[in-house]
Amino acid sequence: MYNTKFILTLLCFLFLFSCNEEPKLVFKESSFTTEKNTLVEVIIPVATGDISIIDNINSIIKTHVIEMLRLDPSEPITIKTIEEGIDTFNDEYNRFKADFPESSQPWEAQIDGEIMCQSTELISISLTSYVNTGGAHGNLTISFLNFDAKTGMPIKSSDLFKNMEDFNALANRYFENTIEDKDILFDPQSFKLPDNIGLNDEGAVLLYNSYEIAPYSEGIIEFTIPFEKINSLLNFDSTQ
């Protein structure tokens, strides 16, 4: 009788534990290519786990990768998959070579992704794109994507913080301490937050891509505000 009661109690405990346990979200590094691809390298994190969560995340990542491979932003988006985007990039190069056979400049596209931060509440992902189509220099672009870890829905930068006015003032001070050549950048009085704000293990990362606020020669401008300075402003628990 004792053993039976013990087994029943254990089974009930395991059942309750399994019901209360949150579904885990795991990212796997995945490489994308096609049979005729010779120019494009795509290595990005792909989410696995709860379908209702991962579909949102993977769909948004896929859309960003496809956008990064587009050569003419004015054209409507008709590409549906990353593989199709890769083949289209290769096809465009082949057409270019047919029109300008004397050109010796090879094309290339490299897209890499990494998980900046993953907690029970928030996921921040960085996508880095380098595309060179024969110009004076390639185009390097970094994008931060933030997601609600419980739903997979995207989170706007403005929704990361409780008070954007206070965060803007704090970011302005860190920005002024980060930049070296203050003469080439905008007036601190007209400071604006970057398009890319994400979280990593240290705090909030703010990143300005080339041309966003300065000449190309200045490159990417990036700085981090530590968690101890922003915890009171965050809409998400950074300790989870």
Side-chain angles (χ1 to χ4, degrees):
M1 179 68 69
Y2 174 81
N3 289 338
T4 302
K5 287 184 177 180
F6 174 79
I7 293 173
L8 288 174
T9 301
L10 178 61
L11 289 174
C12 288
F13 173 80
L14 292 175
F15 175 79
L16 290 173
F17 178 81
S18 64
C19 289
N20 292 329
E21 187 179 25
E22 294 185 7
K24 294 182 179 180
L25 198 64
V26 177
F27 286 89
K28 296 183 179 179
E29 186 177 84
S30 299
S31 176
F32 293 80
T33 189
T34 66
E35 290 184 0
K36 64 180 181 181
N37 174 44
T38 60
L39 306 172
V40 181
E41 180 182 82
V42 176
I43 303 175
I44 57 173
V46 174
T48 62
D50 190 319
I51 295 297
S52 63
I53 300 176
I54 68 172
D55 278 357
N56 292 326
I57 296 174
N58 290 335
S59 176
I60 291 174
I61 293 176
K62 178 191 72 174
T63 299
H64 274 264
V65 172
I66 291 173
E67 182 67 28
M68 288 171 167
L69 289 172
R70 289 179 70 202
L71 299 180
D72 187 355
S74 65
E75 291 290 326
I77 300 177
T78 59
I79 296 171
K80 302 299 183 182
T81 67
I82 294 176
E83 288 84 357
E84 187 180 351
I86 292 172
D87 279 344
T88 299
F89 188 92
N90 279 268
D91 290 342
E92 288 291 338
Y93 172 71
N94 291 332
R95 280 191 285 270
F96 171 80
K97 285 296 292 182
D99 293 337
F100 304 97
E102 71 281 1
S103 175
S104 60
Q105 177 67 46
W107 287 19
E108 64 174 318
Q110 298 177 6
I111 299 175
D112 300 298
E114 65 172 338
I115 307 300
M116 300 169 60
C117 172
Q118 182 178 4
S119 71
T120 58
E121 296 189 6
L122 179 85
I123 298 168
S124 286
I125 296 174
S126 172
L127 291 179
T128 300
S129 166
Y130 176 78
V131 177
N132 191 338
T133 55
H137 52 71
N139 184 27
L140 177 65
T141 304
I142 298 176
S143 299
F144 293 162
L145 306 176
N146 299 302
F147 299 94
D148 186 319
K150 297 178 180 178
T151 65
M153 296 302 294
I155 300 173
K156 297 186 296 185
S157 295
S158 57
D159 292 333
L160 289 172
F161 307 97
K162 299 173 183 176
N163 188 317
M164 285 304 295
E165 184 176 344
D166 288 349
F167 179 73
N168 188 86
L170 178 63
N172 195 350
R173 293 195 295 273
Y174 270 81
F175 174 81
E176 292 181 21
N177 291 333
T178 299
I179 59 175
E180 297 180 357
D181 190 350
K182 295 180 172 59
D183 294 333
I184 65 169
L185 300 175
F186 56 80
D187 185 342
Q189 297 302 317
S190 61
F191 171 81
K192 69 171 184 176
L193 292 170
D195 293 335
N196 290 294
I197 301 176
L199 299 181
N200 65 11
D201 293 339
E202 298 178 359
V205 183
L206 289 79
L207 183 146
Y208 297 89
N209 277 299
S210 300
Y211 294 122
E212 191 172 344
I213 59 170
Y216 179 84
S217 59
E218 289 300 307
I220 290 173
I221 298 172
E222 179 181 3
F223 60 95
T224 301
I225 305 177
F227 277 124
E228 58 263 29
K229 301 294 184 181
I230 61 169
N231 273 334
S232 62
L233 298 175
L234 282 173
N235 275 324
F236 301 87
D237 189 349
S238 65
T239 64
Q240 297 298 315

